[in-house]
Amino acid sequence: MTKTPTLELHGLQEVLDGISRAMERETERGRVADFIPELACVDKSQFGIAVALSSGEVFASGDAQTQFSIQSISKVITLAMALGRLGDGLWARVGREPSGLAFNSILQLEQEGARPRNPFVNAGAIVVTDAILATSEPREVLAEILQFLRTASGDNSIHISELVAKSEANSAHRNLALAHMLKARNNLVNEPSRVLGVYFHQCAIEMTCVQLASAGRFLMSTPETNLISAENIACINALMMTCGHYDGSGEFAYRVGLPGKSGVGGGILAIVPGRASIAIWSPGLNEQGNSALGTLAAEKLARRMGWSIFV
Ligand code: GLU
């Protein structure tokens, strides 16, 4: 399969509509995340897809204007912020290896010491948020994350759902365990409750596929999208490729061939370096906690457009 010539992008709308129709027929839709009660009631028949190009053009299909909880996709933004502040200093506190375990696993932290495997598993993301809190108050950090997303997408309406943040806070036993374990092992500067307060709110940001695809352009490495340095873009994309789908990262790389980050709200952000930013949402999750239809749709889109970075 060859790379897509620009002219072929005019067929993109048809491709997205075709994928949307194919997803409507799918019966294996996975299970919605039920460990955050507020997410358990989201209707899993929904599916949306959007693709933003560096030119600013956005193509979309299905429920692409419906807001969903971005959850762990927010970890990409906090990683960008932490790298901007600490540079390589961040890696003393968090690793860069896939974990091969579930996103909220406690096992590895206990076995390997206080340095989480990567910034995308929950333990690693909690450390990243703690690192940002070293220089800013919780309110400022959340305002900065929102501002980042609003600037990147060009849409000022992006906001946090207090309901989802509260719902997660009230049932956050595993994340509390992780934060306390990190604190006990001296890899958390702030109190667990202070870090988790920010973490739950960053996860509770709501966006549509159109907003997320537009925002994701900052990871595309083109002159039009220079919100962070080229070095940090390369670093974040590498981590998305190897760790962005938790213990399903190998499968995503194999099937889709693009750096991606999933969230348990059913969203996926995937980047076609230099070409496009893709957002897909369908709330039903597979065994690894990644959107079941989202993964399938990303695979179809990458194949159809010849977008895998390996072809
Ligand atoms: N807020 C979720 C948690 O911490 C995020 C997990 C995810 O989206 O993968 O459990």
Side-chain angles (χ1 to χ4, degrees):
M1 214 172 277
T2 52
K3 293 281 181 202
T4 322
T6 317
L7 273 178
E8 240 178 83
L9 289 174
H10 294 304
L12 184 54
Q13 187 60 52
E14 263 167 60
V15 172
L16 297 184
D17 290 340
I19 292 173
S20 269
R21 281 194 299 274
M23 293 304 116
E24 268 170 38
R25 294 190 294 271
E26 279 297 323
T27 48
E28 287 301 313
R29 306 188 84 90
R31 288 173 48 127
V32 289
D34 51 11
F35 67 98
I36 301 176
E38 201 54 42
L39 297 185
C41 45
V42 179
D43 172 8
K44 71 175 180 183
S45 69
Q46 301 174 93
F47 172 86
I49 187 164
V51 175
L53 308 177
S54 57
S55 60
E57 268 178 296
V58 181
F59 296 80
S61 191
D63 301 309
Q65 297 284 8
T66 305
Q67 289 180 347
F68 62 91
S69 191
I70 69 166
Q71 291 296 315
S72 281
I73 301 172
S74 66
K75 296 172 183 174
V76 173
I77 312 302
T78 47
L79 176 59
M81 285 166 57
L83 281 173
R85 283 162 155 85
L86 277 79
D88 280 347
L90 181 66
W91 307 121
R93 298 187 58 188
V94 60
R96 297 192 297 254
E97 291 296 341
S99 71
L101 288 172
F103 64 95
N104 55 4
S105 171
I106 295 170
L107 187 71
Q108 222 155 35
L109 207 54
E110 176 71 339
Q111 268 176 348
E112 298 183 359
R115 189 167 170 259
R117 279 282 180 109
N118 66 65
F120 293 149
V121 287
N122 285 8
I126 291 168
V127 166
V128 168
T129 296
D130 181 62
I132 300 171
L133 276 168
T135 47
S136 317
E137 291 298 311
R139 194 178 292 274
E140 293 166 344
V141 171
L142 287 170
E144 197 179 329
I145 298 171
L146 275 180
Q147 195 49 51
F148 191 110
L149 284 168
R150 288 172 178 170
T151 305
S153 64
D155 189 328
N156 278 332
S157 68
I158 296 166
H159 62 272
I160 294 171
S161 162
E162 269 305 324
L163 216 60
V164 173
K166 274 213 181 75
S167 176
E168 178 163 11
N170 290 337
S171 56
H173 308 296
R174 294 190 74 91
N175 284 326
L176 276 159
L178 288 170
H180 280 280
M181 190 108 80
L182 288 163
K183 185 76 178 164
R185 298 271 183 93
N186 294 322
N187 197 6
L188 211 65
V189 176
N190 294 272
E191 284 308 310
S193 58
R194 181 173 154 100
V195 185
L196 288 179
V198 174
Y199 176 79
F200 298 146
H201 280 83
Q202 73 182 63
C203 288
I205 292 172
E206 297 194 322
M207 293 175 79
T208 67
C209 285
V210 169
Q211 290 170 333
L212 184 59
S214 304
R217 285 175 307 170
F218 85 94
L219 290 168
M220 276 172 54
S221 274
T222 59
E224 298 90 337
T225 58
N226 58 349
L227 207 57
I228 63 172
S229 73
E231 290 79 25
N232 287 348
I233 290 175
C235 159
I236 295 169
N237 273 295
L239 285 159
M240 287 168 75
M241 180 60 104
T242 51
C243 313
H245 280 71
Y246 310 116
D247 47 338
S249 298
E251 181 73 6
F252 192 83
Y254 179 87
R255 288 172 58 187
V256 184
L258 294 174
K261 182 74 205 87
S262 67
V264 293
I268 294 178
L269 172 66
I271 304 299
V272 192
R275 308 179 77 91
S277 162
I278 304 165
I280 311 179
W281 169 62
S282 186
L285 308 178
N286 62 22
E287 292 279 293
Q288 287 80 31
N290 304 312
S291 174
L293 291 194
T295 308
L296 186 60
E299 181 180 10
K300 284 182 187 292
L301 179 62
R303 285 216 180 157
R304 222 18 240 288
M305 302 306 290
W307 274 348
S308 161
I309 64 169
F310 302 115
V311 298

